Amino acid sequence: MILALESSCDETAVALFDPSRGLVGEWVHSQIALHEAYGGVVPDLASREHLRHFAPLLQRALAVVPAGEIESLAVTRGPGLAACLAMGLATAKSLGLAWGRPVVGINHLRAHAFSPFLPGHAAGPERFEAELAVLLPHLGLLVSGGNTLLFAIDERRRLRVLASTLDDAAGEALDKGAKLLGLGYPGGPQVERLARAGSPSAYRFPKAIARKTALEFSFSGLKTSLRYQLEKMTPAEIAARQADLCASYQHAVIEALARKTRQALEGGAYRSLGLSGGVANNLLLQAELEQIARHRNVPFLRALPQHTGDNAGMIGFAAWADTEAGGVAADGYALEISPSLPLAR
Ligand code: AMP
Ligand code: MG
């Protein structure tokens, strides 16, 4: 039984993962309401909230599985906000010390990368291992507020980054666009909701890609072009055309993600396509990627809604499934936070 803790940004989360049974329970406290007033996450406030919420979440987990049954702890060591990561690490190390259990430091991005495989574990660990053998090599798209990454997982579960963004992340582009449109934070879900009533071809925004041939993403030009468009309009016009603006802007972001994913999938012998991270909640993006996978005749795997945003379930799962993570002291007491940890480490 693995007790997992996550506190890299604005979610305090605890989960229990049993490699033979799967996820036993997940508990999360989201701070979105607190940070909404500031239009983004305030690190010092976030870390105080983690301090406040870990104990009650842990109490709930320990009511399900007593401390004596927990064999190891898994905790996010990075990337993330330093003050927030420190809260999770300090909590996990203290419990590990008190219970005499090892603490494993988990790379949050690798956990996201493996999260589309989590539902497959429900069939049991043996079935899972057999299925994974058929699904690798895997092409994954990780899209969140801080990252836009295309990566490969090979047959030995080694992870390799194929492309990232030169500037803003996809979620960040949606959030910043939403802000320009006078919408609240986080903007992605609001843009998606308003876009339903609009036309994706009402406005022409530039494709959010660096070059046609390279896999790299670039979203800052897109955001600038939205700003120029809005400067040409009166507040009344903007309000009247909000749905069209949202639909066209969202379309440009998704088009870039879909085009580069298709290009990468066609360029390799991948046997599955995965989608993870907060932007993976977007239904249009899901539909686009599903179609790309179907066209190549490979299974499309996506993280469950409860595992797209930050969560501890994927941390516990990665502690077991990500056999190539490596590099982490086994007793965990020497563990340190790694605020800028890259995906492939
Ligand atoms: P994360 O960084 O993984 O916590 O995810 C948060 C990011 O996902 C933010 O940038 C949100 O705007 C974005 N996001 C969440 N839901 C959606 C959605 N339905 N459509 C597009 N973006 C979304
Ligand atoms: Mg979050």
Side-chain angles (χ1 to χ4, degrees):
M1 183 70 70
I2 301 169
L3 175 64
L5 286 79
E6 153 67 36
S7 65
S8 62
C9 188
D10 60 345
E11 263 89 32
T12 319
V14 169
L16 288 162
F17 180 76
D18 178 345
S20 63
R21 284 192 295 157
L23 275 172
V24 173
E26 300 183 76
W27 298 267
V28 55
H29 172 81
S30 170
Q31 305 176 11
I32 281 195
L34 173 75
H35 299 288
E36 209 172 4
Y38 304 92
V41 178
V42 185
D44 275 358
L45 282 182
S47 94
R48 280 191 202 186
E49 283 296 289
H50 291 311
L51 180 61
R52 190 170 289 149
H53 289 282
F54 261 129
L57 292 177
L58 284 163
Q59 271 180 323
R60 288 165 66 188
L62 294 174
V64 175
V65 171
E69 288 177 27
I70 290 162
E71 289 153 307
S72 65
L73 292 110
V75 60
T76 304
R77 65 185 176 113
L81 300 167
C84 296
L85 292 167
M87 286 295 165
L89 235 71
T91 307
K93 280 191 185 189
S94 306
L95 291 175
L97 200 57
W99 297 339
R101 294 288 183 250
V103 183
V104 180
I106 301 293
N107 179 333
H108 181 88
L109 292 177
R110 292 184 72 105
H112 269 303
F114 276 87
S115 64
F117 295 108
L118 214 170
H121 183 275
E126 290 82 17
R127 275 283 296 280
F128 175 82
E129 296 288 348
E131 252 171 53
L132 202 60
V134 182
L135 296 170
L136 302 180
H138 169 85
L139 176 70
L141 175 67
L142 196 179
V143 267
S144 68
N147 291 278
T148 306
L149 290 161
L150 266 173
F151 60 89
I153 304 177
D154 72 11
E155 290 92 335
R156 286 172 55 190
R157 302 193 200 182
R158 285 176 307 197
L159 227 141
R160 186 165 53 93
V161 175
L162 303 174
S164 58
T165 173
L166 300 177
D167 37 63
D168 294 346
E172 195 178 359
L174 289 166
D175 293 342
K176 287 179 174 172
K179 201 168 184 174
L180 291 173
L181 286 159
L183 306 172
Y185 171 86
Q190 309 211 34
V191 169
E192 177 174 44
R193 184 173 49 80
L194 290 165
R196 277 186 211 130
S199 160
S201 52
Y203 295 93
R204 283 236 154 268
F205 291 117
K207 293 270 179 308
I209 48 184
R211 271 176 295 137
K212 254 206 176 97
T213 47
L215 279 178
E216 244 67 38
F217 299 99
S218 170
F219 291 99
S220 68
L222 175 60
K223 180 190 62 196
T224 307
S225 107
L226 174 64
R227 182 182 298 127
Y228 288 153
Q229 177 60 45
L230 295 177
E231 280 169 3
K232 287 189 279 187
M233 300 167 78
T234 66
E237 277 172 334
I238 293 172
R241 302 292 307 275
Q242 203 177 44
D244 281 339
L245 286 162
C246 285
S248 301
Y249 188 74
Q250 175 180 258
H251 175 73
V253 172
I254 292 176
E255 258 301 294
L257 296 173
R259 179 203 280 233
K260 295 290 172 182
T261 304
R262 188 183 303 116
Q263 200 175 317
L265 194 65
E266 282 167 4
Y270 301 106
R271 297 166 81 187
S272 61
L273 175 65
L275 176 62
S276 59
V279 185
N281 290 329
N282 189 283
L283 297 179
L284 279 177
L285 177 62
Q286 289 175 17
E288 282 282 336
L289 259 64
E290 184 156 27
Q291 203 185 331
I292 290 169
R294 195 179 320 122
H295 189 74
R296 289 288 290 185
N297 218 1
V298 297
F300 174 56
L301 315 172
R302 71 181 160 84
L304 295 173
Q306 63 268 36
H307 298 137
T308 52
D310 295 337
N311 67 93
M314 69 175 187
I315 301 300
F317 177 66
W320 174 77
D322 185 3
T323 48
E324 287 295 315
V328 181
D331 68 6
Y333 304 142
L335 266 182
E336 297 206 31
I337 59 167
S338 306
S340 326
L341 192 63
L343 172 68
R345 283 276 299 280

